[in-house]
Amino acid sequence: MKWVKQTVGYWCDDTKTGKCTGSGICAAVLDTGISVHPDLQGRIVGFRDFVNGSGDIYDDSGHGTHVAGILAGNGRASEGKYAGMAPEAELLIAKVLDKNGDGDVDKVVRGIEWILSVKEQFRVRIVNISVGTQPELACEQKRRLLNAVEQLWDDGLVVVVSAGNYGPGPGTVAVPGNSRKVITAGVPDMPAGRAGRRKRLNYSGRGPTEECVIKPDVFAPGTGIISCNGRYSLPGEHIYVMKSGTSMATPVVSGAAACLLSKYPDMTNVEVKLKLRESCVKYPGTEAGWGLVNVERLLAV
């Protein structure tokens, strides 16, 4: 996360002093669940399991915990080294994916409906959806998911979704990342030679969409990200783990939005999107959208 924060210009007066690190902001995460990791303890305000119907807080995959750690981990188990973007934010968790990270539209839609029903109770401002449909999914199911996600936006929530990992060809952005309303996060291309790579690393979904919308909107680091390990309590598991994908870039952007809202709590979701667009910086591999998220510019007056 140190490299991630350096890349996105995280360190500025507002974050160094802790004034704008997500305090008072609740982010909902639709994913594989969450483990009660030391970096997340005390800030999980609600949990609902749409896969197995369990009343216990858990993550049998680890994906959701990793995503939540990037967004809001406080780095307690690493003396701050692996703290997330908004370490004071609260988390509302909907488990909509199984232990393999798979799911169906019905479960995701039910999770969205639940978030809509409790958003006032938990003061939800942001919804992170590191979930994307497979290309072969039926069109009517894609439309159903897209409509549900856009309802979150229409109800005033900042919705950040992943571009998917089926890129980089044209039209490869995953649903619901093709929505013209929500904020779609992708991962910059990594040229050959960087980090010792022999080949160009290039997997992030791309537009244009069927409606000719350029996607992703914003880019953030997503390759080789170290965050909370949801399986840390099992033998042989470390408390942190590395994962890659647009799923990891999405909470970087959600966390940046949480920092912004903790400074300007009256901002609407449209204003957050516009501020994000205005503050992005052009960076190699981000030519398809606004550019790379930059927290210092985002939080500037």
Side-chain angles (χ1 to χ4, degrees):
M1 286 302 297
K2 180 180 179 181
W3 164 74
V4 171
K5 290 177 177 178
Q6 289 174 339
T7 303
V8 301
Y10 181 82
W11 299 115
C12 58
D13 288 342
D14 286 323
T15 55
K16 287 178 180 178
T17 59
K19 290 190 297 184
C20 305
T21 51
S23 177
I25 304 302
C26 180
V29 178
L30 286 89
D31 216 289
T32 62
I34 195 167
S35 297
V36 187
H37 191 281
D39 288 12
L40 303 168
Q41 281 183 348
R43 289 179 295 117
I44 304 170
V45 297
F47 176 89
R48 182 68 65 89
D49 180 8
F50 295 94
V51 177
N52 299 308
S54 174
D56 297 324
I57 296 176
Y58 75 105
D59 180 3
D60 50 3
S61 162
H63 187 275
T65 304
H66 195 271
V67 166
I70 296 170
L71 199 167
N74 62 15
R76 179 181 176 186
S78 60
E79 297 183 346
K81 183 177 182 180
Y82 298 119
M85 298 290 291
E88 292 189 81
E90 294 181 330
L91 295 163
L92 178 68
I93 307 299
K95 178 175 172 59
V96 296
L97 303 178
D98 65 18
K99 62 183 180 181
N100 299 315
D102 297 327
D104 56 56
V105 170
D106 183 63
K107 292 181 177 64
V108 179
V109 170
R110 287 170 56 206
I112 289 172
E113 291 172 344
W114 175 64
I115 289 170
L116 288 170
S117 71
V118 299
K119 69 182 181 69
E120 301 297 337
Q121 176 186 348
F122 293 107
R123 306 187 313 280
V124 178
R125 299 298 310 278
I126 299 165
V127 182
N128 186 101
I129 306 178
S130 292
V131 176
T133 61
Q134 295 182 348
E136 62 271 17
L137 185 70
C139 290
E140 59 269 22
Q141 290 291 84
K142 290 182 179 179
R143 173 52 58 183
R144 184 180 175 214
L145 176 60
L146 187 64
N147 288 342
V149 169
E150 290 190 340
Q151 186 61 56
L152 290 167
W153 184 270
D154 291 343
D155 273 33
L157 298 171
V158 176
V159 184
V160 187
V161 305
S162 59
N165 304 326
Y166 298 106
T172 54
V173 65
V175 178
N178 63 330
S179 167
R180 66 170 59 249
K181 294 182 179 182
V182 306
I183 300 164
T184 305
V187 176
D189 301 339
M190 185 176 290
R194 185 175 298 178
R197 295 188 179 277
R198 295 182 180 179
K199 295 182 179 179
R200 183 180 180 92
L201 185 64
N202 192 349
Y203 57 81
S204 187
R206 291 286 196 279
T209 69
E210 292 181 358
E211 297 178 332
C212 295
V213 178
I214 296 174
K215 289 286 183 174
D217 299 303
V218 62
F219 289 82
T223 303
I225 309 300
I226 297 175
S227 182
C228 300
N229 184 1
R231 303 168 64 84
Y232 76 95
S233 60
L234 299 177
E237 293 284 348
H238 194 271
I239 201 159
Y240 297 101
V241 68
M242 181 184 294
K243 293 183 183 293
S244 297
T246 57
S247 287
M248 283 64 250
T250 307
V252 174
V253 178
S254 294
C259 292
L260 178 63
L261 286 171
S262 64
K263 183 172 185 177
Y264 303 111
D266 293 332
M267 268 191 166
T268 67
N269 56 352
V270 173
E271 290 171 333
V272 169
K273 185 175 181 179
L274 291 174
K275 191 75 165 68
L276 189 62
R277 184 176 69 181
E278 293 167 359
S279 61
C280 283
V281 296
K282 288 300 180 182
Y283 184 85
T286 68
E287 292 82 5
W290 307 330
L292 189 73
V293 63
N294 185 280
V295 177
E296 184 175 13
R297 286 166 57 102
L298 182 67
L299 297 179
V301 177

